[in-house]
mmCIF file of all heavy atoms in Angstrom:
data_model
loop_
_atom_site.group_PDB
_atom_site.id
_atom_site.type_symbol
_atom_site.label_atom_id
_atom_site.label_comp_id
_atom_site.label_asym_id
_atom_site.label_seq_id
_atom_site.Cartn_x
_atom_site.Cartn_y
_atom_site.Cartn_z
ATOM 1 N N VAL F 1 4.772 -8.399 -5.252
ATOM 2 C CA VAL F 1 6.040 -8.669 -4.568
ATOM 3 C C VAL F 1 7.131 -7.727 -5.065
ATOM 4 O O VAL F 1 7.905 -7.174 -4.273
ATOM 5 C CB VAL F 1 6.466 -10.136 -4.787
ATOM 6 C CG1 VAL F 1 7.837 -10.400 -4.184
ATOM 7 C CG2 VAL F 1 5.437 -11.083 -4.179
ATOM 8 N N ASP F 2 7.209 -7.543 -6.379
ATOM 9 C CA ASP F 2 8.267 -6.698 -6.942
ATOM 10 C C ASP F 2 8.018 -5.215 -6.665
ATOM 11 O O ASP F 2 8.946 -4.487 -6.269
ATOM 12 C CB ASP F 2 8.424 -6.943 -8.439
ATOM 13 C CG ASP F 2 7.125 -6.860 -9.213
ATOM 14 O OD1 ASP F 2 6.043 -6.844 -8.591
ATOM 15 O OD2 ASP F 2 7.175 -6.812 -10.463
ATOM 16 N N TRP F 3 6.792 -4.737 -6.857
ATOM 17 C CA TRP F 3 6.470 -3.322 -6.603
ATOM 18 C C TRP F 3 6.778 -2.961 -5.149
ATOM 19 O O TRP F 3 7.322 -1.890 -4.866
ATOM 20 C CB TRP F 3 5.001 -3.086 -6.930
ATOM 21 C CG TRP F 3 4.541 -1.660 -6.980
ATOM 22 C CD1 TRP F 3 5.305 -0.529 -6.900
ATOM 23 C CD2 TRP F 3 3.188 -1.226 -7.144
ATOM 24 N NE1 TRP F 3 4.510 0.590 -6.988
ATOM 25 C CE2 TRP F 3 3.212 0.192 -7.148
ATOM 26 C CE3 TRP F 3 1.968 -1.886 -7.285
ATOM 27 C CZ2 TRP F 3 2.047 0.946 -7.274
ATOM 28 C CZ3 TRP F 3 0.817 -1.133 -7.424
ATOM 29 C CH2 TRP F 3 0.868 0.270 -7.423
ATOM 30 N N TYR F 4 6.447 -3.854 -4.236
ATOM 31 C CA TYR F 4 6.732 -3.647 -2.814
ATOM 32 C C TYR F 4 8.239 -3.519 -2.582
ATOM 33 O O TYR F 4 8.694 -2.681 -1.793
ATOM 34 C CB TYR F 4 6.165 -4.813 -2.006
ATOM 35 C CG TYR F 4 6.288 -4.678 -0.500
ATOM 36 C CD1 TYR F 4 5.550 -3.736 0.200
ATOM 37 C CD2 TYR F 4 7.147 -5.507 0.220
ATOM 38 C CE1 TYR F 4 5.654 -3.613 1.578
ATOM 39 C CE2 TYR F 4 7.260 -5.389 1.607
ATOM 40 C CZ TYR F 4 6.507 -4.447 2.275
ATOM 41 O OH TYR F 4 6.622 -4.328 3.638
ATOM 42 N N ALA F 5 9.022 -4.336 -3.288
ATOM 43 C CA ALA F 5 10.482 -4.267 -3.166
ATOM 44 C C ALA F 5 11.019 -2.941 -3.699
ATOM 45 O O ALA F 5 11.879 -2.306 -3.076
ATOM 46 C CB ALA F 5 11.125 -5.436 -3.911
ATOM 47 N N TRP F 6 10.503 -2.498 -4.864
ATOM 48 C CA TRP F 6 10.989 -1.222 -5.432
ATOM 49 C C TRP F 6 10.666 -0.070 -4.483
ATOM 50 O O TRP F 6 11.477 0.851 -4.322
ATOM 51 C CB TRP F 6 10.351 -0.940 -6.797
ATOM 52 C CG TRP F 6 10.285 -2.043 -7.799
ATOM 53 C CD1 TRP F 6 9.317 -2.209 -8.753
ATOM 54 C CD2 TRP F 6 11.200 -3.137 -8.007
ATOM 55 N NE1 TRP F 6 9.556 -3.320 -9.510
ATOM 56 C CE2 TRP F 6 10.708 -3.908 -9.075
ATOM 57 C CE3 TRP F 6 12.376 -3.531 -7.369
ATOM 58 C CZ2 TRP F 6 11.351 -5.053 -9.540
ATOM 59 C CZ3 TRP F 6 13.017 -4.684 -7.814
ATOM 60 C CH2 TRP F 6 12.518 -5.427 -8.874
ATOM 61 N N GLU F 7 9.470 -0.119 -3.871
ATOM 62 C CA GLU F 7 9.086 0.952 -2.950
ATOM 63 C C GLU F 7 10.046 1.034 -1.775
ATOM 64 O O GLU F 7 10.449 2.126 -1.360
ATOM 65 C CB GLU F 7 7.647 0.713 -2.458
ATOM 66 C CG GLU F 7 7.031 1.881 -1.706
ATOM 67 C CD GLU F 7 7.369 1.904 -0.222
ATOM 68 O OE1 GLU F 7 7.637 0.817 0.342
ATOM 69 O OE2 GLU F 7 7.375 3.008 0.386
ATOM 70 N N LYS F 8 10.435 -0.106 -1.239
ATOM 71 C CA LYS F 8 11.394 -0.117 -0.127
ATOM 72 C C LYS F 8 12.754 0.399 -0.570
ATOM 73 O O LYS F 8 13.372 1.220 0.116
ATOM 74 C CB LYS F 8 11.551 -1.538 0.427
ATOM 75 C CG LYS F 8 10.378 -2.056 1.228
ATOM 76 C CD LYS F 8 10.790 -3.300 2.017
ATOM 77 C CE LYS F 8 11.421 -4.345 1.112
ATOM 78 N NZ LYS F 8 11.934 -5.502 1.856
ATOM 79 N N ILE F 9 13.216 -0.097 -1.718
ATOM 80 C CA ILE F 9 14.539 0.302 -2.211
ATOM 81 C C ILE F 9 14.566 1.783 -2.565
ATOM 82 O O ILE F 9 15.592 2.449 -2.428
ATOM 83 C CB ILE F 9 14.937 -0.563 -3.429
ATOM 84 C CG1 ILE F 9 15.058 -2.036 -3.014
ATOM 85 C CG2 ILE F 9 16.255 -0.100 -4.028
ATOM 86 C CD1 ILE F 9 15.254 -2.998 -4.184
ATOM 87 N N SER F 10 13.424 2.331 -2.989
ATOM 88 C CA SER F 10 13.370 3.742 -3.396
ATOM 89 C C SER F 10 13.689 4.692 -2.252
ATOM 90 O O SER F 10 14.026 5.856 -2.477
ATOM 91 C CB SER F 10 11.990 4.073 -3.970
ATOM 92 O OG SER F 10 10.998 4.141 -2.956
ATOM 93 N N LYS F 11 13.602 4.204 -1.016
ATOM 94 C CA LYS F 11 13.883 5.041 0.156
ATOM 95 C C LYS F 11 15.368 5.081 0.505
ATOM 96 O O LYS F 11 15.790 5.887 1.331
ATOM 97 C CB LYS F 11 13.102 4.524 1.358
ATOM 98 C CG LYS F 11 11.589 4.550 1.199
ATOM 99 C CD LYS F 11 10.911 3.910 2.406
ATOM 100 C CE LYS F 11 9.411 3.866 2.255
ATOM 101 N NZ LYS F 11 8.755 3.190 3.414
ATOM 102 N N LYS F 12 16.145 4.209 -0.115
ATOM 103 C CA LYS F 12 17.555 4.097 0.218
ATOM 104 C C LYS F 12 18.396 5.137 -0.526
ATOM 105 O O LYS F 12 18.013 5.623 -1.593
ATOM 106 C CB LYS F 12 18.073 2.694 -0.118
ATOM 107 C CG LYS F 12 17.432 1.579 0.693
ATOM 108 C CD LYS F 12 17.969 0.223 0.312
ATOM 109 C CE LYS F 12 19.424 0.060 0.681
ATOM 110 N NZ LYS F 12 19.649 0.042 2.150
ATOM 111 N N LYS F 13 19.538 5.440 0.032
ATOM 112 C CA LYS F 13 20.489 6.335 -0.627
ATOM 113 C C LYS F 13 21.185 5.572 -1.739
ATOM 114 O O LYS F 13 21.683 4.465 -1.535
ATOM 115 C CB LYS F 13 21.518 6.841 0.375
ATOM 116 C CG LYS F 13 22.539 7.805 -0.227
ATOM 117 C CD LYS F 13 23.524 8.280 0.823
ATOM 118 C CE LYS F 13 24.531 9.238 0.223
ATOM 119 N NZ LYS F 13 25.517 9.708 1.240
ATOM 120 N N GLY F 14 21.197 6.144 -2.921
ATOM 121 C CA GLY F 14 21.806 5.487 -4.062
ATOM 122 C C GLY F 14 21.012 5.759 -5.324
ATOM 123 O O GLY F 14 20.091 6.577 -5.326
ATOM 124 N N ASP F 15 21.356 5.055 -6.402
ATOM 125 C CA ASP F 15 20.784 5.350 -7.713
ATOM 126 C C ASP F 15 19.826 4.284 -8.225
ATOM 127 O O ASP F 15 20.092 3.081 -8.115
ATOM 128 C CB ASP F 15 21.906 5.511 -8.744
ATOM 129 C CG ASP F 15 22.733 6.764 -8.507
ATOM 130 O OD1 ASP F 15 22.240 7.676 -7.813
ATOM 131 O OD2 ASP F 15 23.861 6.828 -9.033
ATOM 132 N N PHE F 16 18.700 4.764 -8.776
ATOM 133 C CA PHE F 16 17.800 3.958 -9.603
ATOM 134 C C PHE F 16 18.243 4.233 -11.039
ATOM 135 O O PHE F 16 17.945 5.294 -11.586
ATOM 136 C CB PHE F 16 16.350 4.426 -9.424
ATOM 137 C CG PHE F 16 15.542 3.619 -8.459
ATOM 138 C CD1 PHE F 16 16.075 3.193 -7.260
ATOM 139 C CD2 PHE F 16 14.220 3.300 -8.742
ATOM 140 C CE1 PHE F 16 15.308 2.453 -6.357
ATOM 141 C CE2 PHE F 16 13.450 2.572 -7.856
ATOM 142 C CZ PHE F 16 13.993 2.139 -6.658
ATOM 143 N N ILE F 17 18.915 3.289 -11.660
ATOM 144 C CA ILE F 17 19.484 3.509 -12.988
ATOM 145 C C ILE F 17 18.518 2.996 -14.051
ATOM 146 O O ILE F 17 18.164 1.818 -14.056
ATOM 147 C CB ILE F 17 20.835 2.784 -13.127
ATOM 148 C CG1 ILE F 17 21.788 3.217 -12.002
ATOM 149 C CG2 ILE F 17 21.459 3.043 -14.488
ATOM 150 C CD1 ILE F 17 23.019 2.335 -11.884
ATOM 151 N N TYR F 18 18.110 3.874 -14.934
ATOM 152 C CA TYR F 18 17.155 3.510 -15.985
ATOM 153 C C TYR F 18 17.841 3.533 -17.339
ATOM 154 O O TYR F 18 18.421 4.544 -17.736
ATOM 155 C CB TYR F 18 15.970 4.469 -15.964
ATOM 156 C CG TYR F 18 14.948 4.239 -17.054
ATOM 157 C CD1 TYR F 18 14.512 2.961 -17.384
ATOM 158 C CD2 TYR F 18 14.391 5.325 -17.736
ATOM 159 C CE1 TYR F 18 13.555 2.763 -18.365
ATOM 160 C CE2 TYR F 18 13.431 5.139 -18.717
ATOM 161 C CZ TYR F 18 13.020 3.861 -19.030
ATOM 162 O OH TYR F 18 12.068 3.669 -20.008
ATOM 163 N N VAL F 19 17.782 2.406 -18.052
ATOM 164 C CA VAL F 19 18.293 2.315 -19.417
ATOM 165 C C VAL F 19 17.089 2.419 -20.355
ATOM 166 O O VAL F 19 16.306 1.467 -20.467
ATOM 167 C CB VAL F 19 19.025 0.978 -19.652
ATOM 168 C CG1 VAL F 19 19.628 0.949 -21.063
ATOM 169 C CG2 VAL F 19 20.109 0.759 -18.602
ATOM 170 N N PRO F 20 16.897 3.555 -21.016
ATOM 171 C CA PRO F 20 15.685 3.770 -21.824
ATOM 172 C C PRO F 20 15.736 3.091 -23.185
ATOM 173 O O PRO F 20 15.409 3.682 -24.209
ATOM 174 C CB PRO F 20 15.632 5.294 -21.947
ATOM 175 C CG PRO F 20 17.059 5.699 -21.929
ATOM 176 C CD PRO F 20 17.755 4.746 -20.979
ATOM 177 N N LYS F 21 16.159 1.841 -23.191
ATOM 178 C CA LYS F 21 16.201 1.038 -24.412
ATOM 179 C C LYS F 21 15.458 -0.269 -24.138
ATOM 180 O O LYS F 21 15.620 -0.866 -23.073
ATOM 181 C CB LYS F 21 17.643 0.737 -24.824
ATOM 182 C CG LYS F 21 18.489 1.966 -25.128
ATOM 183 C CD LYS F 21 19.910 1.577 -25.489
ATOM 184 C CE LYS F 21 20.783 2.809 -25.729
ATOM 185 N NZ LYS F 21 20.358 3.562 -26.907
ATOM 186 N N SER F 22 14.676 -0.710 -25.085
ATOM 187 C CA SER F 22 13.922 -1.952 -24.920
ATOM 188 C C SER F 22 14.878 -3.135 -25.109
ATOM 189 O O SER F 22 15.180 -3.525 -26.233
ATOM 190 C CB SER F 22 12.776 -2.017 -25.938
ATOM 191 O OG SER F 22 12.024 -3.191 -25.755
ATOM 192 N N LEU F 23 15.325 -3.706 -23.993
ATOM 193 C CA LEU F 23 16.365 -4.727 -24.038
ATOM 194 C C LEU F 23 15.910 -6.092 -23.544
ATOM 195 O O LEU F 23 16.727 -7.009 -23.422
ATOM 196 C CB LEU F 23 17.589 -4.255 -23.231
ATOM 197 C CG LEU F 23 18.305 -3.034 -23.815
ATOM 198 C CD1 LEU F 23 19.408 -2.560 -22.879
ATOM 199 C CD2 LEU F 23 18.878 -3.356 -25.195
ATOM 200 N N MET F 24 14.625 -6.230 -23.240
ATOM 201 C CA MET F 24 14.090 -7.563 -22.946
ATOM 202 C C MET F 24 12.619 -7.605 -23.329
ATOM 203 O O MET F 24 11.963 -6.563 -23.438
ATOM 204 C CB MET F 24 14.317 -7.969 -21.482
ATOM 205 C CG MET F 24 13.683 -7.106 -20.418
ATOM 206 S SD MET F 24 11.970 -7.567 -20.044
ATOM 207 C CE MET F 24 12.134 -9.278 -19.596
ATOM 208 N N CYS F 25 12.134 -8.814 -23.559
ATOM 209 C CA CYS F 25 10.739 -9.015 -23.965
ATOM 210 C C CYS F 25 10.032 -9.824 -22.893
ATOM 211 O O CYS F 25 10.421 -10.965 -22.612
ATOM 212 C CB CYS F 25 10.668 -9.746 -25.297
ATOM 213 S SG CYS F 25 11.460 -8.890 -26.662
ATOM 214 N N HIS F 26 9.005 -9.241 -22.315
ATOM 215 C CA HIS F 26 8.228 -9.888 -21.264
ATOM 216 C C HIS F 26 7.037 -10.592 -21.894
ATOM 217 O O HIS F 26 6.215 -9.962 -22.553
ATOM 218 C CB HIS F 26 7.767 -8.832 -20.261
ATOM 219 C CG HIS F 26 6.969 -9.374 -19.121
ATOM 220 N ND1 HIS F 26 7.365 -10.459 -18.374
ATOM 221 C CD2 HIS F 26 5.788 -8.972 -18.598
ATOM 222 C CE1 HIS F 26 6.466 -10.706 -17.448
ATOM 223 N NE2 HIS F 26 5.498 -9.824 -17.565
#
């Protein structure tokens, strides 16, 4: 469900902002 959402959003104009710090624990 989430990967499908990212793929759709990746086509939109705008920014994918990545914070390269480990800030949550899954």
